[in-house]
Amino acid sequence: MTFLRPTLLTLACLLASPGFADDLPSLGDASSAIVSPQQEYQLGRAWLAYLRGQVSQLNDPQLKDYVETSVYKLVETSQVNDRRLEFILINSPQLNAFAAPGGIVGVNGGLFLNAQTEGEYASVLAHELAHLSQRHFARGVEAQQRMQIPMMAALLGGIIAAAAGAGDAGIAAIAGTQAAAIQEQRRFSRQNEQEADRIGILNLEKAGYDPRSMPTMFERLMRQYRFDAKPPEFLLTHPVTESRIADTRNRAEQSKPGGKEDSQRYQLIRARVQLQYEDTPGLAAKRFQAQLDENPKNDVARYGLAIAQIKGSQFKQARENLAPLLAKAPNDITYNLAQIQLDIDNSRLPDAQQRTDRMLTQYPGNYPLNQVRVDLLLKQNRTADAEKALDGLLKSRPDDPDVWYQVAETRGLSGNIIGLHQARAEYFALVGDFQQAIQQLDFAKRRAGSNFPLSSRIDARQRELIEQERLVKGMMS
């Protein structure tokens, strides 16, 4: 999939004129008067809904949980003030990550394929969070002085078109917003990239990572893609030059030695992503087996082999590979989730139930564990219990379209048809299809009949969505 990096934090800065100051923006600065944080928030959420409806996404709960947890860890030591973040994981093997106004953070699957350590992965996200914390989008608007909401919307339209695969048409729409200022745009962009590198390195160190991971990542990417005619979008929007590498290396070397470079958890998640992009589970199994043959103590390779075998229905072999991992780390969530999935797929539901219950006593709020609990309940045809469990999951993930989709399916299975239509409405709203969302609430109202309190609640929600659609159309037109 061809994917244009949809970060308004950089793209809007491409519209700006030179004269960027080195001082960081203060609260109540001129940029906030032109584009307020609340406008950024609303625009970002509108853009996210449209993007969700246009691109294929990764819905692995363990991957989602890892990205969210790791980004929030970085946010805690960053200069990001508004921490109302939303995430999207793009199903693409191309190297890319982005941040958009309003706290939208996106990661391509390809970031895990290219970032060989957790430190390298974190360095990319720290850079993106720096764009957010420094409000480069709003500062770009302030610098130009004449870009208002309609021009932002024009940018969004082009970005969405490119993200959805429109290619040159989307790029032309973006370029056409301010074609006359190319030289100034590039200069301003470089300045913002330098600032994001600098702030990102500081954030890495504060978060406990080795900041040297950033120049290491840049160096390897430059070697890897130096002669590619069409490098990844990330490198088109983040040109890696000798001077940039030297600058980040010099800054990183000024920090104290030490800091985390990698973790086994990252490598386990990376193995899951690698399996996602293998042509078949058998090919993945061969690759992990080769790594294990080279080093029999490689637990990550053994885990990767086990999940490839589960996916390939080689249940006996998978069980044999998970056994030593669980013996070594009996309470590890990742290993236990793999065993639970194996038991579910192998129709050993009582074993899966027992293990799930035990793990939930230790990690009651863990998203992947609670999700697998729902899956297990559905396998057991306990739809009412699954619906109740999903209602609990919604309290912590009210804006997750994957959860709402499953809520709709589960309510349908349990005979809750009004609830089915309500859940579908929330799902469609989150993926930007307001017409479908409003129609689903029409269906729910008809079912509600003479139940006046329920009809009133549905009608109120429908009015909210109609108003939301009106605001979104106003931003995007």
Side-chain angles (χ1 to χ4, degrees):
M1 175 180 64
T2 300
F3 186 65
L4 179 68
R5 178 179 185 265
T7 169
L8 296 186
L9 300 169
T10 297
L11 284 171
C13 293
L14 296 180
L15 297 178
S17 60
F20 175 80
D22 288 332
D23 297 333
L24 301 183
S26 60
L27 294 176
D29 61 356
S31 62
S32 294
I34 295 175
V35 183
S36 71
Q38 185 59 26
Q39 282 178 309
E40 283 192 357
Y41 178 84
Q42 292 174 336
L43 195 63
R45 291 311 186 273
W47 176 76
L48 176 61
Y50 274 89
L51 183 61
R52 279 172 171 162
Q54 298 292 331
V55 299
S56 174
Q57 293 155 70
L58 296 166
N59 57 12
D60 177 2
Q62 292 186 66
L63 178 58
K64 290 165 64 177
D65 182 64
Y66 177 82
V67 170
E68 293 166 12
T69 302
S70 60
V71 170
Y72 273 116
K73 177 184 176 183
L74 287 168
V75 166
E76 285 301 314
T77 55
S78 75
Q79 298 179 12
V80 174
N81 291 319
D82 189 344
R83 298 181 176 180
R84 297 174 294 174
L85 304 182
E86 286 291 338
F87 300 85
I88 181 168
L89 274 63
I90 307 294
N91 183 10
S92 169
Q94 296 299 312
L95 169 64
N96 211 353
F98 58 86
I104 310 304
V105 178
V107 172
N108 276 25
L111 176 58
F112 289 88
L113 302 181
N114 283 272
Q116 295 185 1
T117 65
E118 183 172 4
E120 291 183 2
Y121 158 88
S123 72
V124 172
L125 272 302
H127 174 99
E128 297 302 326
L129 290 175
H131 281 305
L132 282 181
S133 69
Q134 303 314 305
R135 296 195 69 218
H136 284 160
F137 175 69
R139 291 164 71 191
V141 175
E142 188 270 337
Q144 187 176 356
Q145 287 293 328
R146 55 182 183 271
M147 177 178 174
Q148 298 295 330
I149 291 292
M151 194 174 289
M152 300 178 213
L155 268 177
L156 286 174
I159 294 163
I160 291 169
D168 292 343
I171 294 169
I174 296 167
T177 56
Q178 192 62 288
I182 292 175
Q183 289 298 13
E184 286 88 350
Q185 292 166 2
R186 287 176 177 169
R187 190 164 87 183
F188 193 87
S189 176
R190 282 196 297 271
Q191 290 173 322
N192 280 282
E193 289 300 300
Q194 289 170 356
E195 183 177 50
D197 287 344
R198 177 172 61 83
I199 300 296
I201 284 174
L202 292 174
N203 188 12
L204 280 176
E205 185 175 16
K206 289 180 181 178
Y209 291 101
D210 185 345
R212 294 160 185 81
S213 296
M214 183 179 286
T216 299
M217 176 79 165
F218 288 163
E219 286 168 350
R220 195 164 39 72
L221 291 177
M222 188 174 71
R223 289 194 305 269
Q224 184 174 347
Y225 295 105
R226 181 192 296 270
F227 301 111
D228 277 27
K230 190 177 181 181
E233 187 63 37
F234 183 81
L235 295 184
L236 293 177
T237 53
H238 297 74
V240 176
T241 62
E242 296 283 359
S243 62
R244 185 178 183 191
I245 291 172
D247 183 57
T248 54
R249 176 65 68 187
N250 288 338
R251 291 183 184 280
E253 292 296 341
Q254 294 173 20
S255 63
K256 295 179 181 178
K260 184 167 70 172
E261 296 181 17
D262 201 9
S263 72
Q264 186 181 57
R265 176 158 163 72
Y266 174 77
Q267 293 300 334
L268 294 174
I269 293 296
R270 189 167 182 246
R272 297 183 67 83
V273 177
Q274 289 170 335
L275 177 59
Q276 170 78 23
Y277 294 108
E278 288 282 9
D279 291 336
T280 66
L283 288 174
K286 287 181 180 179
R287 183 170 57 80
F288 287 123
Q289 183 66 65
Q291 294 175 14
L292 197 57
D293 290 342
E294 184 178 337
N295 179 9
K297 295 182 179 181
N298 187 337
D299 289 346
V300 173
R302 189 174 297 279
Y303 169 77
L305 177 58
I307 59 174
Q309 289 168 335
I310 294 170
K311 197 170 182 179
S313 299
Q314 296 179 295
F315 301 134
K316 181 176 181 295
Q317 297 92 325
R319 194 173 303 278
E320 290 171 354
N321 277 306
L322 284 175
L325 298 177
L326 287 164
K328 186 184 297 186
N331 295 320
D332 183 272
I333 292 179
T334 306
Y335 297 157
N336 276 277
L337 283 168
Q339 184 66 52
I340 292 166
Q341 191 62 57
L342 170 60
D343 287 336
I344 291 174
D345 291 354
N346 201 21
S347 299
R348 299 175 65 159
L349 301 186
D351 291 342
Q353 184 71 63
Q354 184 179 18
R355 188 176 296 272
T356 300
D357 291 343
R358 179 176 70 82
M359 294 302 293
L360 281 170
T361 61
Q362 299 179 61
Y363 309 100
N366 182 265
Y367 162 47
L369 273 173
N370 279 282
Q371 180 61 64
V372 83
R373 178 185 174 222
V374 171
D375 297 339
L376 182 56
L377 290 170
L378 290 171
K379 277 281 187 180
Q380 296 169 319
N381 294 317
R382 297 167 58 186
T383 53
D385 290 336
E387 186 177 354
K388 185 177 179 181
L390 281 166
D391 287 341
L393 199 53
L394 281 174
K395 292 179 181 178
S396 60
R397 305 186 69 83
D399 298 318
D400 188 331
D402 292 335
V403 175
W404 277 111
Y405 185 89
Q406 191 170 37
V407 168
E409 296 297 302
T410 304
R411 287 178 179 177
L413 290 171
S414 65
N416 180 0
I417 305 304
I418 293 175
L420 158 70
H421 291 305
Q422 289 176 302
R424 283 181 177 172
E426 298 305 322
Y427 168 78
F428 283 123
L430 286 168
V431 299
D433 193 340
F434 289 100
Q435 289 188 352
Q436 283 270 28
I438 293 164
Q439 185 180 54
Q440 288 297 321
L441 290 179
D442 275 335
F443 296 151
K445 276 194 296 185
R446 291 176 200 168
R447 287 270 183 174
S450 59
N451 187 334
F452 181 74
L454 179 57
S455 294
S456 297
R457 290 197 299 272
I458 295 171
D459 196 50
R461 181 56 180 153
Q462 192 173 46
R463 287 195 300 270
E464 289 174 359
L465 290 181
I466 290 171
E467 176 62 13
Q468 191 176 345
E469 181 185 29
R470 186 189 67 79
L471 290 173
V472 168
K473 284 184 175 179
M475 290 180 188
M476 307 296 287
S477 61

